[in-house]
Amino acid sequence: MKKISFIIIIILFPASILFSQTKKENTVPDPQSVFSRSYDYVNDFEKILSPDQITTLSNTLKAFEKQFLYKITIVTTPSIQPYTSFPDYALELDRYLSKDPKLDPTILIVVSREIRQIQVQSIDLIRYKLSDNDTQNIITTYAVPEFKKGDYGKGLELAVDQFMNKLKTY
């Protein structure tokens, strides 16, 4: 009887190893694989801006950086996968961009029409010119009303103008 139970255990043991499931670890996504695109002043990955709006915004942002040394970057995205929250996505994108001095934005504006979210990231050095309350006020007063009308280009243009006005002061 002992030999039979021993043989049964030996036969079943390898089978249980083969069919057992391993628990997948909850890992942080690799930013390099998520944000592997090239970035410019205006990055319309969601395709919500017209070519004229992209050109106008890009030229405005480029001239502003040349004159005042503050780089503003706009990114539109249809999805934040594999991230679960929009602020986390924007923060990781900002960290990713800040690793390259050519891409490092002073202000990063991330917008998604699909998710109906906007997030603004800025460096700490400009807090004396642009507080969180100022940022919130600019977004709710200038960008959101135009977004509700469906004109994302105009909303971004108005918000960017206000950000630039705040950064020009002092």
Side-chain angles (χ1 to χ4, degrees):
M1 184 68 179
K2 288 183 180 183
K3 286 184 181 181
I4 293 174
S5 55
F6 181 73
I7 292 173
I8 291 173
I9 290 174
I10 290 177
I11 292 172
L12 293 178
F13 184 74
S16 66
I17 291 174
L18 291 174
F19 296 112
S20 66
Q21 294 182 356
T22 59
K23 183 178 179 182
K24 190 175 181 180
E25 288 185 35
N26 186 11
T27 59
V28 176
D30 176 29
Q32 189 66 30
S33 65
V34 176
F35 307 120
S36 60
R37 304 175 190 166
S38 62
Y39 289 87
D40 200 5
Y41 292 95
V42 180
N43 308 277
D44 186 20
F45 300 125
E46 195 171 13
K47 308 292 185 221
I48 59 177
L49 304 173
S50 72
D52 289 340
Q53 290 171 328
I54 293 171
T55 302
T56 302
L57 277 168
S58 291
N59 290 339
T60 301
L61 296 174
K62 189 182 292 186
F64 181 73
E65 182 186 17
K66 211 174 218 182
Q67 185 175 2
F68 294 98
L69 303 178
Y70 295 118
K71 182 171 186 158
I72 300 174
T73 302
I74 299 171
V75 177
T76 69
T77 182
S79 170
I80 60 167
Q81 292 302 325
Y83 297 94
T84 56
S85 79
F86 205 78
D88 288 346
Y89 176 86
L91 182 62
E92 287 302 316
L93 177 57
D94 188 44
R95 286 182 184 155
Y96 172 77
L97 294 175
S98 66
K99 290 179 182 176
D100 184 347
K102 294 178 185 175
L103 300 176
D104 190 12
T106 306
I107 296 177
L108 172 65
I109 304 169
V110 184
V111 178
S112 177
R113 178 179 64 188
E114 182 74 26
I115 302 171
R116 299 177 53 123
Q117 295 270 335
I118 183 168
Q119 185 75 28
V120 178
Q121 298 290 131
S122 62
I123 61 172
D124 290 335
L125 296 174
I126 63 166
R127 298 277 182 206
Y128 71 98
K129 290 185 177 189
L130 185 67
S131 69
D132 290 341
N133 287 338
D134 292 334
T135 301
Q136 182 67 31
N137 186 37
I138 289 170
I139 295 303
T140 56
T141 306
Y142 297 95
V144 171
E146 295 301 325
F147 291 174
K148 286 181 178 179
K149 295 177 190 174
D151 195 347
Y152 284 80
K154 186 170 183 184
L156 287 169
E157 192 175 309
L158 292 172
V160 163
D161 284 343
Q162 293 302 311
F163 287 130
M164 290 187 307
N165 287 337
K166 285 284 189 179
L167 292 174
K168 288 178 191 177
T169 59
Y170 295 98

